[in-house]
Amino acid sequence: MDMIGQVCRLVVPRSGTTVAWNLVRGTAGGAEVPIRSASRSCVTSTRSTSAAYFSKQSMRQYTTYRYTTSSSSTIPGRVDCFFKLLDKSHRTVKPCRRFTSTPANFVISSANQAQDSHHQSKDRPRQTGPHLDSYHNTTARVSISSRANTKNNINTRHRNRFFNHSFSRLFSSSSRLSCSAIIPSSIMADRDVLPSTVTPSHYDLNISSLNFKDWSYNGNVTINVSITEPVKEIVINSIELKLLTAKITPDSTKPTQSQETTTFNYDEKKQRATLVFADEVPASQLATLQITFQGIMNNDMAGFYRSKYKPVVPAAASVPRDDTFHYMLSTQFEACDARRAFPCFDEPRLKATFDLQIEIPEDQVALSNMPAKSSSKTRDGFVSVAFERTPVMSTYLLAWAVGDFEYVEAFTERKYNGKQIPVRVYTTRGLKEQGRFALEHAPKTIDLFSESFGIDYPLPKSDLLAVHEFTHGAMENWGLVTYRTTAVLFDEKTSDARYKNRVAYVVAHELAHQWFGNLVTMDWWDELWLNESFATWAGWYAVNEFHPDWQVWAQFVNEGMEMAFKLDGMRASHPVHVPVKDALDVNQIFDHISYLKGCSTLRMLVSQLGEKTFLQGVGAYLRKHAYGNAKTEYLWQALTEASGTDVNGLMGNWIEKIGHPLLTVAEEPGQISIKQNRYLSTGDVKPEEDETVWWVPLSLQGKVGQQDIQRFALTEKSTTIRDIDNDFYKINSNATGFYRTNYPPARLAKLSTQLDRLSNEDKISIIGSAADLAFSGYGTTPALLSFIKGFGGETNHLVWAQVLDSVGLVKTIFGDDDEIKRGLEQFILKLVSNAVEKIGWEFPEGEDYLTGLLRKRLLLSAAANGHQGVTEKAKSLFDSWVEKGTPLHPNLRTVVYRTAVKTDPAKAVEVLKKEWYTGASIDGKEVCLASLGHVRDPEIISKSLLPFNCDLSPPAPPSESVPSGDMHSLGSALSTNSVARPIQWKYIQDNWEKLTTKMANPVVLDRFVKLTLQRFTDAKYIDEIDAFFKDKDTSAFDRTLEQVKDAIRGRAAYRERDAKVIKEWLSANGYLQ
């Protein structure tokens, strides 16, 4: 058997049997090594193996060991195995849990041989839950040659019983696991991971003594661990925790053999603590490590943290509070913050089960991944809540929350193990009714995914929790998904309709993770895209199922693909599958590549394979790797088997290579030639950067005599296609391919007269390509403007969004030239005026969702560009709201606020800051902050808005301090404002220490740096950025900083190149009169 990077054990039933197998690396020190020294950790039997030896000989590129048993060899009664097969792709065979062998001719098992310092652990089978034995069948590619004819002697009855082991939602109460795997040092050299000598299988975590004055708590965690060789030190992840004591018991059945220590060495940079014991701890499969510690419920939205809020109804008496706010408690552990709440082995492949017990005030509610199983009084006013054991999972998926919670509840329509699953949306008291819209979607999303993937939702409940302060949109903790409030709450009376779309999508995205990410977890952070790209695709897939009238795939082309193109077109971008050496660097790749480019490529693959086949492959992948870890190639293999198509051959370059292609089309009568080259937004691709040849599905429509879309693919640098209709053709029909298309100018002009032959996705894609070509210099801005000026009669919101986004980018880059700004405003007003007059200001009852969004977008564009009638109407609505309390329609708030900011900034700023602080609408704070960013008065920006966004509270009053998790909303809006942009940059430089103190969470700081600095249009700012950050610690955003500078280079080059021709075009077309 070909094994990869592992020390293996072969157990045979009788003496004299000789079996040869290959290893990439053996750890044997010489020609002959006792087998016991190479197999210490795999088999749970305590009986030692007798005098059997390996003999070494050369074989191909591998090392071969020949093992011969002696007459005194013993057979263990149980085998826990983990190994890899070497065939066309390297696959991991899942652990065979609870397999008791009957006498058989041989059993293969693996041993973690940590004595070889070059090996580190990769996939440690800690699984106590069920697994799918896809590899354990009669067709598994395992080949063992033996001198004895053993095939017919295998106990068929036992084998079939094991092979037919079925998938179940039950989780074993056993926490003992016994084998580990070794990852090849060539791979591990690219990863900074914990030592492989000690690995966990189960955590018993107790949190108590929550102190709401100094925000401290006490903790005690007992971890069942496997120790593969004698150690005096154990390294564990820990940051911002005070470790008090540690006790190691090598054999949990012999507690008197334990030893304690209070000697801890901390490495704050690596976020690790080394527990130093006085005496050597022997190797053991049955060890327990107990640590007592103290932690902090911080206010940085990481680890175990507190969120401030103002209750809408009186809260429970014990809820922590100060003069202004009340507080709830929750966790956020992804990517590397479980270690901030309790000491643990905090890496995604170090999976384990978890028992949690937490002490809380008796009038509050505790939530976790699993249902509560008991509650017992601990002291006056406090109870300890214990939860059922979790399935085997990564530390970053553990979660708990404490607060004054209430909920709304529904049940899945389908039954799981005979029962409908309860689904609840939890909020702080008084907000639960705003969870109804999310609750409408969550149960049917669980049912949809269970059916689509062919795997039932594996937990007994599903909770959704609204958290008042949050870094991202949501977090997929298994069974307890946490959300930013605007991503899960919606009020029909006060919420902007756009948030309906957000709630439905984010709920579906996070529930998709319950399978893709939780049930099957990426092997390491370089595979982050496996989690996020699929959840993004599945989120839109679900919303499309429930709301086909929303046209969400056209929305994705307009929003998701466009954002992916922008980042992927930079030289400083990264591949979808991105190397990650240090897990602490992973925060910077939770970006548009990992989410949106990955989703775009999956959507392209779905179009090629067909949705049904794709989902069949996904289901096979999930079943094969359930409760384990996986890599990209495992997904490709499952999809290949489902489709009969070499998926890796199609997708390899899309995932492993940076960038995407630009297809340039040349025409001759009756034929077209297509050439692919890498697209760069700076337009300066070097030959060595243009070597990738992508598989490009052309989805061509327009062959003579053919009405349907033709499934051609470009697999070389260029090709010629004949029999093309000279009047009409289009490439990338419905925008299923992730690439830009550069049509000849005459063809682009002709397509603008054939809009009725284009789908909404086609229109969005062609406009987006034209805009990107203008930006990079492969095309021109006059060509873009000439194309989109024909869209005045468009009726679809999503197409209008792409039109206005594209011309808005031009205005942002060239808007500091007053003449160009004035000309572009006239261009936009002429484009939208008829549509504005037609759609009006009223929202008729029963109006469809997209029409309501279109009204808001058209009115906003008209107001922003000086439409007199719209400006007057919006100003009157603002005044009536301020002076008389006349309610504003929630969909019109942005239009009205932005108009007021433009026409009377001093008054508007004070009103909107007050509304931000006191308003009851869940989404109102975001609407206010985004509107405030459009103030163009330098004094108001400097003296009011920037301190408001950046000051710490205290000492600033809460009404004058935007929480750190929301600072990007105002900062990003200010960066789109040509007046505010340089003022904000100077403020950042002058107040950097204050800003980094406030934005202590690296996710928040990284996002703020990107959104506030990337929109400069003068290359001098690159030098200023370099000079300012030269002596600063940029480790939290170094990748982002390079992308910021790339963005500025592209914008500066665009501005210098096209300013003159834009002015000429605007003048020639009558927009500069």
Side-chain angles (χ1 to χ4, degrees), residues 271-292:
Q271 301 184 356
R272 294 172 184 169
T274 300
L275 320 181
V276 182
F277 295 93
D279 300 319
E280 191 171 72
V281 181
S284 171
Q285 292 291 320
L286 305 173
T288 58
L289 174 64
Q290 183 177 8
I291 304 172
T292 61

Side-chain angles (χ1 to χ4, degrees), residues 670-974:
Q671 68 179 42
I672 56 173
S673 297
I674 303 174
K675 181 181 181 181
Q676 63 165 291
N677 298 94
R678 180 182 172 188
Y679 172 86
L680 272 183
S681 60
T682 46
D684 57 350
V685 181
K686 301 172 184 176
E688 62 270 21
E689 297 173 318
D690 191 24
E691 296 177 348
T692 302
V693 177
W694 287 272
W695 164 75
V696 183
L698 296 178
S699 299
L700 171 69
Q701 188 173 11
K703 288 207 74 174
V704 174
Q706 301 288 337
Q707 297 297 320
D708 296 336
I709 297 171
Q710 304 297 300
R711 299 293 181 182
F712 296 114
L714 179 62
T715 57
E716 299 175 313
K717 271 291 186 181
S718 62
T719 191
T720 298
I721 302 175
R722 294 177 173 80
D723 300 324
I724 294 295
D725 186 337
N726 290 324
D727 179 61
F728 173 81
Y729 71 88
K730 62 178 179 180
I731 292 169
N732 198 14
S733 298
N734 298 320
T736 54
F738 187 71
Y739 54 88
R740 292 305 201 187
T741 304
N742 188 3
Y743 289 104
R747 178 59 56 184
L748 186 64
K750 189 169 185 62
L751 286 172
S752 70
T753 68
Q754 300 172 319
L755 298 180
D756 59 323
R757 303 182 70 173
L758 303 177
S759 68
N760 291 330
E761 290 88 344
D762 291 334
K763 296 173 186 177
I764 294 167
S765 177
I766 295 170
I767 295 167
S769 285
D772 256 10
L773 294 170
F775 185 97
S776 57
Y778 296 109
T780 68
T781 307
L784 168 67
L785 298 176
S786 296
F787 181 64
I788 64 178
K789 72 177 183 179
F791 281 83
E794 181 59 53
T795 59
N796 181 267
H797 161 67
L798 299 166
V799 177
W800 265 115
Q802 184 67 49
V803 168
L804 296 173
D805 288 346
S806 298
V807 72
L809 176 63
V810 176
K811 187 181 175 185
T812 298
I813 292 174
F814 296 92
D816 56 353
D817 182 313
D818 289 339
E819 192 174 12
I820 294 179
K821 180 174 179 288
R822 187 173 71 253
L824 288 173
E825 287 175 345
Q826 292 303 309
F827 173 81
I828 294 170
L829 287 177
K830 184 176 180 181
L831 185 66
V832 305
S833 289
N834 288 338
V836 167
E837 295 301 321
K838 183 177 180 180
I839 204 164
W841 287 80
E842 300 300 321
F843 290 82
E845 187 175 349
E847 181 178 61
D848 69 274
Y849 167 76
L850 288 179
T851 299
L853 294 187
L854 177 59
R855 175 178 296 103
K856 170 188 166 183
R857 185 64 191 263
L858 289 172
L859 291 172
L860 179 60
S861 181
N865 289 281
H867 189 291
Q868 185 176 353
V870 171
T871 299
E872 292 174 355
K873 174 72 172 179
K875 192 174 184 306
S876 70
L877 290 173
F878 182 80
D879 291 339
S880 181
W881 171 61
V882 173
E883 297 164 9
K884 302 177 183 179
T886 306
L888 291 173
H889 192 288
N891 287 4
L892 293 177
R893 285 174 302 174
T894 299
V895 179
V896 172
Y897 293 175
R898 286 272 300 273
T899 302
V901 162
K902 182 179 180 181
T903 57
D904 191 352
K907 176 182 177 181
V909 166
E910 293 310 311
V911 169
L912 293 183
K913 285 172 66 175
K914 181 180 179 182
E915 176 67 14
W916 168 84
Y917 185 63
T918 62
S921 172
I922 287 295
D923 60 303
K925 293 184 185 299
E926 291 184 1
V927 175
C928 288
L929 292 176
S931 299
L932 285 168
H934 292 274
V935 171
R936 295 181 67 83
D937 183 311
E939 185 173 3
I940 295 175
I941 294 167
S942 300
K943 294 183 178 181
S944 179
L945 293 182
L946 288 170
F948 169 63
N949 200 36
C950 301
D951 280 355
L952 287 158
S953 175
S959 60
E960 289 293 329
S961 178
V962 176
S964 62
D966 296 332
M967 288 172 64
H968 66 282
S969 294
L970 179 51
S972 177
L974 288 169

Side-chain angles (χ1 to χ4, degrees), residues 560-568 592-593 596-597 600 738:
M561 285 179 67
E562 284 299 314
M563 288 190 286
F565 279 131
K566 294 294 185 290
L567 180 51
D568 199 43
H592 295 332
I593 300 298
L596 301 177
K597 181 185 178 182
S600 299
F738 187 71

Side-chain angles (χ1 to χ4, degrees), residues 329-381:
L329 309 172
S330 59
T331 59
Q332 170 61 39
F333 290 164
E334 191 179 28
C336 302
D337 286 312
R339 65 193 67 177
R340 204 175 296 271
F342 67 104
C344 55
F345 298 85
D346 197 13
E347 295 174 2
R349 60 195 173 77
L350 298 180
K351 287 192 167 187
T353 52
F354 295 84
D355 286 333
L356 174 68
Q357 188 168 316
I358 185 167
E359 184 186 45
I360 66 168
E362 62 184 1
D363 60 351
Q364 294 191 50
V365 176
L367 303 172
S368 189
N369 306 79
M370 300 294 285
K373 65 179 180 181
S374 67
S375 177
S376 57
K377 190 176 182 66
T378 56
R379 52 193 169 102
D380 188 30

Side-chain angles (χ1 to χ4, degrees), residues 1054-1070:
Y1054 183 24
R1055 182 173 177 271
E1056 182 177 353
R1057 184 182 59 248
D1058 267 23
K1060 182 179 179 181
V1061 297
I1062 291 175
K1063 196 173 296 187
E1064 291 173 351
W1065 187 89
L1066 290 171
S1067 178
N1069 286 270

